[in-house]
Amino acid sequence: ELSFIHRYVPTMDPGRPPLLLLHGTGGNEDDLLPLGQTISPGSALLSPRGKVLENGMPRFFRRLAEGVFDEADVKARAHELADFIAEARKAYGLNAPIAVGFSNGANIAAAMLLPRPEALAGAVLLRAMVPLKDAPQSDLTGKPVLMISGAMDPIIPADNATQLAEMLKKAGATVDHQILRGGHGLTQADVQLAAGWLATEA
Ligand code: MLT
């Protein structure tokens, strides 16, 4: 038994990297399977369900209010998720995955990348924000990260997303930060950018 409820879809194209799919608040392990299949056809898909419940809605870490995180919980959950990835890699025979996270899922991916860079081969962070004010020092040299933000996102101030991009760059990651004209929801532009980036950078 692995330590998270999850879905796993085996690869149909071993040339494609495995994806770790991380849903947003109120989502589950099924939500991002179609997105994963669309942006990287044939990739193995590993899709856990967040263990924290907020009024019945699954998430990957606790928050005190919208945009105000329980940082101790963020850190503990980031390690718990990195441990799950290691278990799942052994069970399914996978290379380190590229995280594809939306909103709360993107935030836990960013929180995990800093203390546990070995857990991920890279990340696509859709509508991410700074997950930890005192982020651990780490070496992300050469890690490819695509961040896609919405200029009119009511949940994530534009300068907060930019601050996360700077934080990741400072740690050595190769960050491509794209800012779309939209809001918090994903659009066709996100799908196209992510697919193009996964085909060329990842
Ligand atoms: C978070 O809690 O991670 C962010 O506020 C995004 C979200 O609403 O999930």
Side-chain angles (χ1 to χ4, degrees):
E1 281 293 291
L2 300 189
S3 59
F4 276 69
I5 294 170
H6 67 282
R7 291 282 304 271
Y8 173 66
V9 179
T11 183
M12 301 287 279
D13 177 356
R16 292 265 190 175
L19 303 184
L20 174 77
L21 303 174
L22 300 168
H23 62 77
T25 302
N28 66 34
E29 64 278 18
D30 295 326
D31 282 11
L32 297 184
L33 295 174
L35 176 70
Q37 262 140 9
T38 303
I39 63 180
S40 189
S43 275
L45 304 175
L46 178 63
S47 185
R49 183 196 301 180
K51 288 186 180 188
V52 169
L53 287 179
E54 183 182 273
N55 302 319
M57 296 187 293
R59 291 173 48 83
F60 287 95
F61 57 81
R62 250 192 302 266
R63 65 179 163 183
L64 309 171
E66 193 168 286
V68 185
F69 303 149
D70 175 340
E71 299 213 359
D73 192 60
V74 175
K75 287 179 187 165
R77 299 285 176 186
H79 283 289
E80 182 184 48
L81 186 59
D83 293 343
F84 164 72
I85 296 169
E87 279 170 35
R89 286 184 58 189
K90 223 184 250 169
Y92 298 124
L94 297 173
N95 292 329
I98 298 198
V100 176
F102 169 63
S103 190
N104 181 248
N107 295 341
I108 193 71
M112 183 166 54
L113 208 43
L114 291 162
R116 299 286 290 273
E118 81 290 349
L120 298 174
V124 176
L125 305 177
L126 306 168
R127 310 299 185 274
M129 61 191 286
V130 174
L132 290 168
K133 288 201 189 78
D134 64 351
Q137 295 291 333
S138 75
D139 184 5
L140 302 182
T141 303
K143 286 272 181 217
V145 177
L146 173 64
M147 277 184 66
I148 310 180
S149 305
M152 288 164 285
D153 190 328
I155 297 174
I156 303 169
D159 64 325
N160 188 304
T162 302
Q163 210 182 311
L164 174 59
E166 292 308 318
M167 201 184 250
L168 295 171
K169 278 183 209 164
K170 241 178 83 188
T174 304
V175 181
D176 178 356
H177 186 196
Q178 300 279 337
I179 301 170
L180 302 177
R181 290 167 63 87
H184 197 65
L186 297 183
T187 66
Q188 202 51 40
D190 288 277
V191 174
Q192 276 162 11
L193 278 170
W197 185 87
L198 282 164
T200 57
E201 304 301 320

